[in-house]
Amino acid sequence: MFKKLFQKSQPPQFKNQIELCVSNRIYDSEEVDTLLNREDIELNEVGCNSQCEVCDIGYYAIVNGEVVCADSALELLEKIDEELEQNSIIY
């Protein structure tokens, strides 16, 4: 019992947080599968992010609290990668 109490535990796995509104256009594209298959992010599908004006115009995601917008799904993936390079929570 004592051995279990004093064993070193594994540190928690932190992942970058990406929120997508389920109404956003990215769900109509195949690029969303790219996000779903990445192990460094946790994808959260939210009913509404209160970003309706951005959602109506184009593609967007909230990456670690920052809104990222684009004109196409592919461009959004590129901008998500840029944001993760600059502001990743994983070191």
Side-chain angles (χ1 to χ4, degrees), residues 75-88:
E75 183 184 356
L76 180 62
L77 291 178
E78 291 170 0
K79 288 188 174 187
I80 288 173
D81 284 336
E82 289 174 17
E83 182 67 29
L84 290 176
E85 284 179 20
Q86 295 174 3
N87 298 314
S88 178

Side-chain angles (χ1 to χ4, degrees), residues 2 8 11 19 22 27 34 39 45 48 55 61 71-72 85:
F2 288 110
K8 288 187 177 181
E19 294 181 21
V22 294
Y27 284 105
T34 305
E39 293 185 18
E45 300 172 8
C48 181
C55 191
D71 293 327
S72 70
E85 284 179 20

Side-chain angles (χ1 to χ4, degrees), residues 3-68:
K3 187 176 181 179
K4 254 188 172 179
L5 287 173
F6 295 104
Q7 276 182 331
K8 288 187 177 181
S9 62
Q10 296 292 330
Q13 281 292 85
F14 291 110
K15 293 186 176 187
N16 291 297
Q17 301 293 311
I18 297 181
E19 294 181 21
L20 295 173
C21 175
V22 294
S23 300
N24 195 256
R25 295 179 192 165
I26 191 143
Y27 284 105
D28 296 334
S29 67
E30 295 173 3
E31 281 79 5
V32 75
D33 293 334
T34 305
L35 292 174
L36 292 171
N37 294 328
R38 289 185 54 169
E39 293 185 18
D40 64 328
I41 65 169
E42 183 176 320
L43 187 63
N44 300 309
E45 300 172 8
V46 182
C48 181
N49 288 323
S50 299
Q51 300 288 332
C52 298
E53 63 281 350
V54 177
C55 191
D56 284 342
I57 294 172
Y59 299 82
Y60 88 100
I62 300 176
V63 181
N64 294 330
E66 297 293 324
V67 177
V68 177

